[in-house]
Structures are given as structure tokens and as C-alpha cells.
Amino acid sequence: SVEEAGLGDRYCLDFLSLLQPGEGLLIGSSASTLILVHSETVPSTFVPTRPFRVNAGAPHAYILMADRSTKYMAELRAGDALLAVTSIGTTRPVVLGRIKIEQRPMLKITVKPTGNSKRKPQMSHVFMQQAETVRLMANLDTPVSVTDIAAGDVALGWSGHGGRHLGQTIDSRVEER
């Protein structure tokens, strides 16, 4: 589902390396389900491309680091190594150059994981800026703007471990809502 969420702090992450089409970051409000948020490599009628940037969401969101741990968006610092992920699952580390935080209208995008997880899929969500330039991966080669996403659409992501503590995977029941 997609619903308006009001104003919030939006984090743009700018990297020391250029990102490619189909590449982005895994982000979410639950450490067990992360959504692939596409880089700003797609041309827009409103702003030029920013191939070094991912418009990454809200301060409370988890983000996958290069060492496969997670951090909250608000814990990130210039120099941190994050994991860039492509729509086909290849990965590489990218170094964070800066964080740009601004208040923007936000959307709450709720997802239900599917796939081969041994655990029961848990509903999860992510808060993203309500803007044409913010995109999720809808399939292996199609980034879709969050302003065009509707209930029932598919978004690529990762679903795995039941929980995390201080960014590390733990074998314990954790419920995040």
C-alpha cells in the first residue's frame, strides 16, 4: 500500500563513486525486510540526474552496510562504506561522501515479503520522499517512481533474518511494526 505520511526529514546519500542504472541501496523500517531504493540515474523532467545519489528516506530507517550489518540512517557518517546492490543481486561497497537532510512530504510504502524465507513473511514499510525522482525497483530492469506505485505492485528487496541488535544479526524473535 502507499499512503501520504506528512512532513519528515529526508536523507539524501551522496557517494564518492557513481552508481549505475539498476543499482541502489537496501533500506527499510524493519531489519528483516529491506527494499531496493534506486539511485538517481534516471533522467527527470524536473532535475538533472545525480548518479552519485540515493534519496534514501527517513532517519529511523535501517540501511545495509558493506559488511552486511545495518545502521539507522541517522547513524551514518561521511566515510562509511555501504552496500550498493543491483537488481540482479550483485553487490559492491560504496563510500559515503555526505548526507543531505531536508524536510519533505513523505509517503509510507508498506510491503508484504514473498519468496522462500523459512520465517513467516512479516509486513514491513519504508518512508520515502514523495517525489518523481525517488524510485524503487519494480523488476530486474524497471525503476518505478514512488509517485506512480500503487497497491499490488511489486518492489524488489531482501527478506531474511528475524532480527538485529546493534546492527548485527541475532537469532531471536523480533517484532517491528
Side-chain angles (χ1 to χ4, degrees), residues 38 132 134-139 142-150 153-154:
H38 196 267
E132 175 208 46
V134 181
R135 292 176 170 83
L136 306 180
M137 289 303 295
N139 57 45
T142 308
V144 175
S145 173
V146 295
T147 58
D148 294 331
I149 291 176
D153 286 353
V154 173

Side-chain angles (χ1 to χ4, degrees), residues 4-24:
E4 291 185 11
L7 288 178
D9 290 339
R10 176 272 281 140
Y11 281 54
C12 274
L13 306 180
D14 293 346
F15 294 95
L16 302 183
S17 303
L18 297 179
L19 298 163
Q20 301 301 312
E23 192 173 35

Side-chain angles (χ1 to χ4, degrees), residues 26-28 30-36 62-64 70 156-159:
L26 289 169
I27 298 165
S30 165
S32 65
T33 302
L34 302 173
I35 298 166
L36 184 55
Y62 290 104
I63 190 159
L64 195 60
T70 57
L156 295 182
W158 173 89
S159 186

Side-chain angles (χ1 to χ4, degrees), residues 10-11 15 33 35 37 39 46 56-57 66 69 80 90 98 120 122 143 153 168:
R10 176 272 281 140
Y11 281 54
F15 294 95
T33 302
I35 298 166
V37 179
S39 57
F46 298 108
S69 67
D80 282 347
T90 58
R98 77 166 182 159
K120 180 183 175 199
Q122 186 177 357
D153 286 353
Q168 301 301 317

Side-chain angles (χ1 to χ4, degrees), residues 107-120:
L107 293 173
K108 179 183 176 190
I109 301 168
T110 303
V111 298
K112 179 181 180 183
T114 60
N116 298 328
S117 176
K118 294 178 185 176
R119 298 179 188 267
K120 180 183 175 199

